[in-house]
Amino acid sequence: MAVKIDKKIKGYSVLTPEDKAREAAAAVPVASVPRATVEQETPQDNIIQMHERIERPEVLIGSTYKIKSPLVEHAMYVTINDIVLNAGTEHELRRPFEIFVNSKSMEHFQWIVALTRIMSAVFRKGGDVTFLVDEMKAVFDPRGGYFKAGGVYMPSLVAELGAIVEEHMKSIGLIHDPEMSAHQRAILAEKRKQYEDRAKKNFDVTESVTVAPAAPAQGAAEDIAVTGDGASFPPSATLCHKCSTKALVIMDGCATCLNCGYSKCG
């Protein structure tokens, strides 16, 4: 069919099948969909993260730790309560919610109450709260620190409180403790065996040259039962600056730690 054009052509375009389909779709009226229906059908991330707007439940899961320090007369009992987020789901998490310190000793009452209230506020704030551990463990007592059970040095009472918080965070999975590799464990076991064999040999030599019954030579019979965590180390051992444990001995003219494997000679 011929069409007469009686005006000047200023431009043109070719009509494609896609253009025809688009014009046909535009002619059909679109039904309105309620907003609530759209939001309900849209997948959402319902993972609850720790933040200060979360209200305290009626019941919390807690753990209590004991501190027996020579700096105070009575023992201190540290209770850390955790809140469970996303309970019953694959995203279930335990996060510290509050901390309390109880003791018969009233000497440090004021700063302990202040510290625990601030720490509880930080816990409820959410986010990365693991920085508290490093800050507390770096506090030093001007009167000097002390050694806790197992020969671990604590520079202050606050530092031991920080060590307890660290231990609790590790137990709930908030802090991951890097474990020694199999190769490192093998080297440490070999060093312990070498030290035990050498100490036993020295003790046998001392016994063989004794001509009359007498008390053992000084330093000959040391406690060399080194078994790892919570073990006793030789009385002559000194403090290891890496693991803060009195387990540093001299082996072949080199300072070696029987607890963490540190060696001054590399």
Side-chain angles (χ1 to χ4, degrees):
M1 177 180 175
V3 178
K4 182 180 179 181
I5 301 176
D6 54 359
K7 295 182 180 180
K8 185 177 180 181
I9 300 176
K10 296 182 179 180
Y12 70 93
S13 61
V14 179
L15 186 64
T16 62
E18 289 79 6
D19 296 332
K20 294 180 179 180
R22 191 180 300 110
E23 291 178 358
V28 178
V30 180
S32 60
V33 181
R35 181 176 179 180
T37 304
V38 176
E39 292 180 351
Q40 185 177 1
E41 294 177 355
T42 303
Q44 296 180 353
D45 188 5
N46 295 322
I47 300 177
I48 301 176
Q49 302 291 344
M50 188 63 191
H51 55 80
E52 59 186 350
R53 294 185 299 274
I54 294 180
E55 296 184 0
R56 187 189 188 281
E58 293 293 332
V59 180
L60 292 176
I61 302 173
S63 302
T64 301
Y65 305 84
K66 181 180 179 180
I67 295 179
K68 190 66 180 76
S69 169
L71 301 180
V72 291
E73 181 180 0
H74 301 283
M76 291 184 174
Y77 298 89
V78 183
T79 300
I80 304 177
N81 291 330
D82 302 325
I83 187 172
V84 180
L85 304 176
N86 310 299
T89 68
E90 60 179 349
H91 304 290
E92 182 173 314
L93 298 171
R94 281 181 61 178
R95 289 294 179 264
F97 191 82
E98 58 193 12
I99 180 172
F100 303 98
V101 178
N102 186 30
S103 175
K104 291 181 180 179
S105 178
M106 302 296 292
E107 180 183 359
H108 305 286
F109 178 77
Q110 293 188 69
W111 68 261
I112 285 179
V113 172
L115 180 63
T116 53
R117 288 184 179 180
I118 292 175
M119 291 177 64
S120 298
V122 173
F123 288 158
R124 293 167 183 169
K125 187 77 174 178
D128 185 9
V129 298
T130 58
F131 73 93
L132 287 174
V133 172
D134 295 331
E135 295 294 338
M136 296 175 69
K137 292 177 67 175
V139 176
F140 292 84
D141 192 330
R143 298 173 298 177
Y146 57 92
F147 287 95
K148 60 180 293 187
V152 180
Y153 178 73
M154 288 296 159
S156 66
L157 194 58
V158 177
E160 184 166 2
L161 184 59
I164 287 178
V165 175
E166 180 182 29
E167 179 183 349
H168 183 78
M169 288 184 176
K170 288 180 180 178
S171 67
I172 64 176
L174 194 56
I175 295 180
H176 299 283
D177 190 12
E179 297 183 357
M180 287 189 294
S181 63
H183 178 66
Q184 291 174 323
R185 292 182 182 274
I187 293 177
L188 184 57
E190 182 180 357
K191 289 182 179 180
R192 289 176 178 174
K193 187 176 185 305
Q194 289 176 358
Y195 186 84
E196 292 175 5
D197 293 343
R198 188 186 66 175
K200 183 179 180 181
K201 182 179 179 181
N202 293 341
F203 180 67
D204 292 341
V205 171
T206 304
E207 278 191 331
S208 63
V209 300
T210 302
V211 295
Q218 184 178 3
E222 281 194 329
D223 180 11
I224 57 174
V226 182
T227 58
D229 295 337
S232 59
F233 297 102
S236 60
T238 56
L239 182 67
C240 174
H241 73 277
K242 184 177 181 180
C243 64
S244 299
T245 305
K246 289 186 66 175
L248 198 68
V249 297
I250 302 299
M251 293 182 62
D252 301 326
C254 183
T256 304
C257 180
L258 298 177
N259 182 60
C260 67
Y262 163 78
S263 178
K264 188 176 182 180
C265 302

